[in-house]
Amino acid sequence: MIDHFRRTLEGQVLLAHVTGRSRSWLLAHPEVSLTPEQKQALETAIRQLQAGVPLPYIIGHWEFFGLDFDVSPDVLIPRPETELLIETALAWARTHPPLGPVYRFLDIGTGSGIIPITLAFHLPSAEIMATDISPAALAIARQNAQKHGAGERIRFIEANLLPDNLQPSTFDILTANLPYIPTETLKELEIFGREPTLALDGGPDGLQLIRRLLAEITARKVAARLILLEIENRQGPAVKALAQQHFPAADIEIKKDLAGQDRLAVILLSNV
């Protein structure tokens, strides 16, 4: 059985999980056999996989931007599409010094914390505030922050978008990967019922929370030099129009991911 599992990526990941070894070590040691306990653990994992449980939830972690993040069914599984947001933020920071002594970032809908933690890892001079409506997701995010040595620099807050007590202020970068899948579209996707609907369902047109966030930012006078919003691949024109409505003086761009799909709204505020 172990030889069979060595032939597939999922099998290698599961074998690494139950043995506590790396995939490369297992491939370099074809003679290794499983203990009875490891065989039982592998059989349990296989049954979960066959029942439709996503592989990252079975092993309890997943890689994003070169870092390993703990995950559970309370949070979305990190996806490579979100790396475009990280790359854009880091590229901007390399050419724009912070307004104050350190960079100040605000991440909305943080989930497992991959965005603020990755930014904190690559920008040691950053202080970050991150919000999420889910206490369970925030628990995972705090766990990940401690795991990567960023626990002291990220303040996690339970909030429905912006924190309730946030005063008018200026951030260097505001990021958000909010639920953006239209409700009816979500019901047709394989991930429906397997990952948290709360983190996926963006309402009838997928823009319910993005629309609310942009309105709150302007109404509550929360300024950001750069706003980055991950979007669904059909939402580029609509999100650009919304951004222009709220920030008429901004330089607004819709960036495409590696698949050539609209993926990131970049709102550059020239007057901040």
Side-chain angles (χ1 to χ4, degrees):
M1 181 173 64
I2 190 169
D3 290 334
H4 168 74
F5 272 87
R6 279 200 180 94
R7 300 190 191 108
T8 67
L9 176 60
E10 285 186 343
Q12 292 169 13
V13 171
L14 287 179
L15 285 171
H17 173 62
V18 302
T19 60
R21 298 285 191 174
S22 68
R23 286 172 51 212
S24 58
W25 188 93
L26 288 169
L27 290 172
H29 295 79
E31 75 284 357
V32 71
S33 59
L34 299 181
T35 67
E37 293 79 10
Q38 290 170 341
K39 287 181 181 178
Q40 184 176 357
L42 181 60
E43 289 168 1
T44 299
I46 293 168
R47 286 195 294 269
Q48 290 177 300
L49 198 63
Q50 291 172 338
V53 179
L55 179 61
Y57 292 157
I58 296 173
I59 65 174
H61 61 97
W62 205 244
E63 184 178 312
F64 175 79
F65 215 80
L67 300 175
D68 188 63
F69 287 90
D70 295 340
V71 295
S72 80
D74 294 310
V75 298
L76 286 184
I77 297 165
R79 287 173 167 78
E81 290 85 355
T82 305
E83 294 190 358
L84 177 61
L85 185 154
I86 299 294
E87 291 165 353
T88 303
L90 293 178
W92 182 89
R94 282 194 290 269
T95 57
H96 294 77
L99 286 178
V102 298
Y103 287 106
R104 296 184 70 231
F105 298 156
L106 175 59
D107 183 51
I108 308 298
T110 200
S112 62
I114 61 171
I115 292 174
I117 294 166
T118 304
L119 291 177
F121 183 86
H122 289 276
L123 294 169
S125 62
E127 293 180 357
I128 306 174
M129 185 182 301
T131 74
D132 203 283
I133 195 173
S134 166
L138 288 172
I140 296 291
R142 291 188 181 100
Q143 181 176 313
N144 280 319
Q146 293 295 331
K147 181 177 182 178
H148 293 293
E152 300 302 315
R153 292 192 291 125
I154 304 176
R155 181 184 175 197
F156 293 101
I157 302 170
E158 184 180 341
N160 189 352
L161 300 181
L162 296 180
D164 293 337
N165 61 349
L166 184 64
Q167 300 300 312
S169 56
T170 299
F171 292 90
D172 292 292
I173 303 179
L174 186 152
T175 57
N177 182 10
L178 297 169
Y180 55 66
I181 303 176
T183 303
E184 293 306 314
T185 301
L186 176 60
K187 293 177 181 177
E188 300 171 357
L189 299 179
E190 186 177 341
I191 58 174
F192 183 60
R194 297 185 178 185
E195 295 186 54
T197 298
L198 180 67
L200 293 166
D201 191 344
D205 64 354
L207 297 175
Q208 182 172 295
L209 290 172
I210 292 174
R211 190 179 290 114
R212 269 189 51 207
L213 176 61
L214 294 177
E216 285 191 20
I217 290 170
T218 52
R220 296 176 60 182
K221 297 181 173 56
V222 175
R225 299 166 71 194
L226 178 67
I227 299 174
L228 301 175
L229 308 173
E230 184 166 324
I231 61 175
E232 198 218 24
N233 60 1
R234 298 170 293 179
Q235 294 170 344
V239 173
K240 187 170 185 177
L242 282 171
Q244 288 171 333
Q245 174 187 337
H246 290 283
F247 311 106
D251 182 7
I252 302 165
E253 176 189 3
I254 303 298
K255 298 189 74 168
K256 297 183 183 297
D257 59 23
L258 291 176
Q261 305 281 348
D262 286 355
R263 185 60 58 195
L264 185 70
V266 180
I267 306 169
L268 183 61
L269 281 298
S270 57
N271 61 342
V272 176

